[in-house]
Amino acid sequence: MDRYERILTLHRLLKSAHYPVPLSRLMDELECSRATLYRDVAFLRDALGAPVQSVAGEQASFRYEAGEADSFELPGLWLTSDELAALMALNELIGRSDPGVLAGALAPFKARIERLLSDHGSGKALPVDRIRVISWGARKMDQQVFRIVAGAVLERRQLSFRYRARTTNSDTKRTVSPQRLTHYRDNWYLDVWDHDREALRSFAVDRIADPQALEAKAKDVEETELNDLLASSYGIFAGKPKAWATIRFSSHAARWVADEHWHSQQKGEWLQDGRYELKVPYSNSRELLMDVLKYGPDAEIVSPLPLREEMKILLQLALSGYQANGNHH
């Protein structure tokens, strides 16, 4: 254990102890000699201002002064090498999955962590390039738009913007009270209270243009209400669930599906023949059908009947395209 780790461990032991900690236990925990321990205690007390008290008795022991322990914290950012490494990994994850949007804002933070890591331990840089994040289906987003939108969410201010919906391709002007930002399937969405429509809505941030944070305070919607309307049904096509879908997967596909998270309220069970049955609530069928389609012949929608029929029509339309163009090469 290097000195940095020992100081941090010593601080945590003394801060959490209800009784004086014997010298022998501290030497065991810090894996050091008596002389080293006394040097560390002196550094903690004199250089860092910790309220260390040595307690006389048959055996030397140490504690933080009663009443001082709760309020004393080590100055600066003190983390173990493992914690710092985890932070670096997280930073790398953010940088790779969302280049430009958060990575730029976190660059100074990354530099500080790298300095802290090289200040103690081996001093070698961590090979963060060994952590790979491959985003799938991430759409290009304007960094400035993201910052204004995120700022309005955190500062609880109303927001106005132009929005071009993918479904209709129409351009509309919106004034909203932003509620929260949601990162879903490699893309960002903004959950809002839409003042013109007097309803909760969700917008893809990459389709937002000309955002402006307004002076007016944002209206707050209870989290339970947000979850009921925006997070209770399958995927980002939110709304109160209108039905539960039952999907059966072949024993082959079941090995993957049984461990997948489709929805917070999903219900799954293994069938006697090795297949897997999954039940999820949904409001809009489109995204659910797309997810089931990727399993091809390994998945079958059992109920409700309208959803099953919708899937049949989708498959027939797809097949008809191949039949119609069967002779084209």
Side-chain angles (χ1 to χ4, degrees):
M1 198 184 286
D2 66 21
R3 189 187 191 201
Y4 178 102
E5 302 278 356
R6 288 200 314 273
I7 295 290
L8 182 52
T9 306
L10 181 59
H11 164 69
R12 288 180 174 173
L13 283 168
L14 296 180
K15 191 170 172 69
S16 60
H18 297 297
Y19 301 101
V21 187
L23 178 76
S24 54
R25 186 190 157 199
L26 292 175
M27 284 164 60
D28 284 347
E29 295 270 4
L30 272 59
E31 302 163 4
C32 68
S33 67
R34 176 187 292 261
T36 299
L37 180 68
Y38 273 109
R39 275 199 303 273
D40 287 347
V41 167
F43 179 79
L44 189 61
R45 183 184 56 229
D46 303 334
L48 300 176
V52 183
Q53 249 183 351
S54 25
V55 182
E58 233 173 83
Q59 194 186 22
S61 57
F62 300 90
R63 68 179 298 172
Y64 275 171
E65 287 175 34
E68 297 284 321
D70 288 344
S71 58
F72 176 74
E73 287 297 345
L74 290 179
L77 178 64
W78 287 72
L79 298 165
T80 65
S81 296
D82 288 349
E83 288 166 339
L84 285 166
L87 271 177
M88 284 296 282
L90 177 65
N91 195 64
E92 199 64 16
L93 182 79
I94 290 166
R96 302 274 176 94
S97 63
D98 243 332
V101 175
L102 294 176
L106 290 175
F109 176 65
K110 182 179 179 180
R112 278 192 71 191
I113 295 173
E114 283 172 346
R115 267 202 311 279
L116 282 162
L117 271 170
S118 58
D119 281 347
H120 70 286
S122 65
K124 283 190 298 192
L126 283 177
V128 287
D129 54 344
R130 289 185 176 273
I131 298 164
R132 294 185 72 210
V133 179
I134 302 168
S135 61
W136 185 88
R139 299 189 292 263
K140 195 168 166 45
M141 184 167 55
D142 186 307
Q143 192 170 343
Q144 188 60 17
V145 167
F146 180 84
R147 285 183 175 168
I148 294 169
V149 167
V153 172
L154 296 173
E155 289 162 18
R156 310 306 307 122
R157 288 166 65 182
Q158 287 185 28
L159 188 70
S160 71
F161 54 82
R162 284 190 305 106
Y163 190 73
R164 184 175 286 279
R166 277 192 171 83
T167 45
T168 59
N169 211 29
S170 60
D171 205 326
T172 55
K173 177 95 173 157
R174 305 294 181 103
T175 301
V176 304
S177 281
Q179 301 301 314
R180 59 189 179 190
L181 270 172
T182 300
H183 192 254
Y184 176 73
R185 295 196 172 188
D186 277 341
N187 291 291
W188 286 98
Y189 296 86
L190 178 66
D191 295 341
V192 307
W193 173 261
D194 189 319
H195 289 280
D196 298 320
R197 286 151 185 78
E198 295 197 338
L200 288 167
R201 291 283 185 270
S202 207
F203 296 101
V205 176
D206 60 290
R207 301 294 281 183
I208 289 175
D210 304 330
Q212 288 184 316
L214 309 175
E215 287 302 317
K217 273 188 70 173
K219 165 191 163 98
D220 285 336
V221 178
E222 285 291 324
E223 193 172 357
T224 47
E225 196 180 335
L226 284 174
N227 289 339
D228 281 351
L229 279 155
L230 296 174
S232 59
S233 61
Y234 183 83
I236 209 69
F237 296 106
K240 280 205 180 288
K242 62 181 179 192
W244 280 73
T246 302
I247 311 140
R248 284 198 191 130
F249 295 89
S250 70
S251 54
H252 173 72
R255 283 177 255 156
W256 283 268
V257 178
D259 293 327
E260 286 179 354
H261 175 85
W262 287 47
H263 190 274
S264 58
Q265 294 165 8
Q266 71 186 46
K267 297 169 186 170
E269 67 170 313
W270 289 92
L271 304 178
Q272 285 186 330
D273 58 6
R275 287 184 301 164
Y276 188 75
E277 187 173 274
L278 181 70
K279 295 184 178 183
V280 289
Y282 72 97
S283 152
N284 183 307
S285 60
R286 187 165 45 152
E287 190 173 11
L288 179 56
L289 290 170
M290 290 297 115
D291 273 359
V292 176
L293 269 172
K294 75 182 181 189
Y295 285 96
D298 284 313
E300 179 197 352
I301 291 174
V302 180
S303 67
L305 197 58
L307 189 67
R308 186 179 167 88
E309 288 301 314
E310 214 179 324
M311 179 60 98
K312 272 168 71 175
I313 292 163
L314 260 181
L315 290 167
Q316 284 161 353
L317 286 171
L319 191 59
S320 68
Y322 283 94
Q323 289 165 340
N325 299 306
N327 299 321
H328 295 180
H329 294 290

